[in-house]
Amino acid sequence: MIDFNNIKTAFADKSDTDLQRAYLLFKSMSNPRLSKALTGLSQFALKLHLPIKPIIKATVYKQFCGGETIEESQTTIDKLWESKIGTILDFSAEGKESVADFNRALAQTLASIEKAAISDSIPFSVFKPTGLCKFSLLEKINNNTPLSTSDEKEKQEYEARVNAICKLAYDKNVAVFIDAEESWIQDAIDSIAEEMMQKYNTKKALIYNTIQLYRNDRVTYLNSILERSENKFFVGLKLVRGAYHEQEIARAKSKNYPCPVHTIKANTDKDYNTALKTCIQNIDRVSVCAGTHNENSAQILANLLEEHGLSKNDDRIYFSQLLGMSDHISYNLSKADYNVSKYVPYGPIKDVMPYLIRRAEENTSIAGQMGRELTNIIAEKQRRKNA
Ligand SMILES: Cc1cc2nc3c(=O)[nH]c(=O)nc-3n(C[C@H](O)[C@H](O)[C@H](O)COP(=O)(O)OP(=O)(O)OC[C@H]3O[C@@H](n4cnc5c(N)ncnc54)[C@H](O)[C@@H]3O)c2cc1C
């Protein structure tokens, strides 16, 4: 059994100041009203160009982000690597809609692949499809809506951006994750992800699609991609539960279609753990990254490795968490010699705000998770006081 309760290991590289900052942050986020007020206020102040960037940068940004640029994230990369935790540089500017923004996200992703190619401490790169084209375009592709001439041109540009990333990943032998998004654009994402796998996963899995197991059709999807890939290409998969649960339920309700996600948490958990099992059973042609903050799922994957006689540091199997969250999982897994990495979001403060707000909302709304972060921080503060 992995000892996730070892908080000394979990916070070994955090100073007392780091701990106090984390304590105040998670404490404020645990209060939904305060959290909402603070995020609203920050956005408003940024819009008015009030000088609050230094405050954001020293608090919530410092907890959850590496820096404004790849170079600025180096301190975080090095610090994680001292505990043998790899970094996944995630350019987190979200909700952008101009060609200049798409090309900027492309350039950042290519730069992160170049950086990964020369750094042992960076095992993967990542991109979000909506960073590379308009959300509405993906919706049209998803629904087979006839495309206008300008849509068609945008689609070709988007596909060229995705291909440029995957080709560089292939040329540099760097694995790249394609993040999963809302269900109403996900078929379009799955389709290009699979195309890229066919093209570039010829010798091993370098292109990873993401499966959200809160969806009630994803175990079926997993089995179908395994069937389609047999003797054709290697499959790379990041398994997550999914970040848009409330939006999925609300949209299905308002548009009156069957809800695509589980509404009972235990069913999401069951599908997540089934997917872990299926991936390990097919490990000769699947590479898997468990993107989770759930201790039980992390333990299940560790047990599966043992049952299947796989080495803890088999490079086809990774655990991954987000920077600033669930250090008790990341650091204890790494100490036990498993492959661990953290998403390290980076980018200009105002562009990263939607990501930070999601973290604040997630930490407010998910029962259990929030409590665990705070409990651990309080316990570690107490342990240091008594030491
Ligand atoms: C490395 C990494 C990469 C990620 N990449 C992506 C990505 O590409 N796309 C994406 O969408 N998310 C992504 N995420 C976010 C991820 O989906 C959330 O962190 C995750 O949902 C939190 O779940 P958990 O596995 O940590 O476990 P838990 O904290 O045990 O589970 C919480 C999750 O369970 C689900 N859930 C909650 N309530 C219910 C309910 N009533 N019924 C059914 N299900 C419920 C929701 O998905 C919720 O987020 C990523 C996370 C990590 C760590």
Side-chain angles (χ1 to χ4, degrees), residues 122-375:
I122 307 184
F124 302 99
S125 288
V126 64
F127 71 93
K128 240 186 163 52
T130 51
L132 301 176
C133 74
K134 287 183 192 147
F135 190 99
S136 58
L137 178 70
L138 284 175
E139 239 178 329
K140 286 179 196 166
I141 300 172
N142 199 84
N143 300 338
N144 291 318
T145 307
L147 299 181
S148 65
T149 315
S150 71
D151 287 341
E152 196 55 62
K153 183 169 167 279
E154 282 177 25
K155 179 173 180 245
Q156 280 169 17
E157 287 168 357
Y158 157 66
E159 289 171 349
R161 288 183 194 110
V162 173
N163 188 60
I165 291 170
C166 296
K167 181 172 185 311
L168 184 67
Y170 176 81
D171 290 343
K172 299 280 176 181
N173 196 28
V174 170
V176 63
F177 294 154
I178 303 178
D179 272 353
E181 307 200 52
E182 288 84 346
S183 64
W184 55 102
I185 58 168
Q186 191 58 40
D187 284 352
I189 297 173
D190 291 341
S191 155
I192 199 161
E194 196 166 326
E195 196 187 310
M196 294 297 111
M197 282 195 214
Q198 276 181 37
K199 203 165 166 182
Y200 297 114
N201 287 1
T202 48
K203 298 188 201 100
K204 64 176 190 176
L206 284 169
I207 313 301
Y208 285 56
N209 196 17
T210 301
I211 299 189
Q212 298 155 313
L213 279 308
Y214 63 11
R215 285 191 45 181
N216 47 35
D217 61 351
R218 292 291 97 171
V219 170
T220 309
Y221 168 77
L222 169 59
N223 290 324
S224 74
I225 193 170
L226 286 176
E227 235 171 68
R228 285 192 298 279
S229 63
E230 199 159 9
N231 300 321
K232 294 193 185 100
F233 59 93
F234 288 88
V235 179
L237 294 172
K238 167 158 62 83
L239 303 180
V240 301
R241 281 181 169 74
Y244 312 96
H245 193 246
E246 285 166 23
Q247 294 95 306
E248 291 288 352
I249 293 172
R251 187 174 191 270
K253 209 170 178 183
S254 79
K255 294 193 179 276
N256 201 24
Y257 60 83
C259 183
V261 297
H262 290 300
T263 50
I264 296 170
K265 172 72 162 56
N267 291 339
T268 299
D269 295 344
K270 183 166 160 275
D271 278 3
Y272 191 91
N273 299 333
T274 300
L276 287 175
K277 199 169 170 191
T278 304
C279 288
I280 297 302
Q281 282 167 343
N282 290 281
I283 200 68
D284 55 323
R285 58 203 184 89
V286 174
S287 291
V288 61
C289 173
T292 184
H293 299 151
N294 183 299
E295 287 166 31
N296 191 38
S297 292
Q299 184 65 57
I300 286 173
L301 179 54
N303 294 348
L304 281 165
L305 297 197
E306 200 177 337
E307 278 164 33
H308 288 257
L310 293 161
S311 118
K312 287 177 175 180
N313 63 358
D314 187 312
D315 63 6
R316 294 167 298 184
I317 304 150
Y318 260 84
F319 297 78
S320 192
Q321 289 76 42
L322 306 179
L323 184 72
M325 288 178 71
S326 294
D327 285 344
H328 66 295
I329 297 184
S330 312
Y331 286 74
N332 284 307
L333 279 170
S334 173
K335 197 173 178 204
D337 293 331
Y338 293 93
N339 292 325
V340 184
S341 56
K342 288 252 200 205
Y343 264 37
V344 173
Y346 74 95
I349 293 176
K350 74 173 174 14
D351 296 339
V352 173
M353 278 312 282
Y355 174 86
L356 293 176
I357 290 167
R358 251 210 333 279
R359 291 289 74 79
E361 283 169 358
E362 185 178 79
N363 281 300
T364 308
S365 65
I366 299 173
Q369 175 61 41
M370 177 69 234
R372 184 71 208 245
E373 298 288 354
L374 250 189
T375 313

Side-chain angles (χ1 to χ4, degrees), residues 41-54 350:
L41 212 66
S42 315
Q43 278 177 301
F44 187 64
L46 281 173
K47 252 188 206 143
L48 293 184
H49 300 287
L50 296 178
I52 62 150
K53 276 191 192 173
K350 74 173 174 14

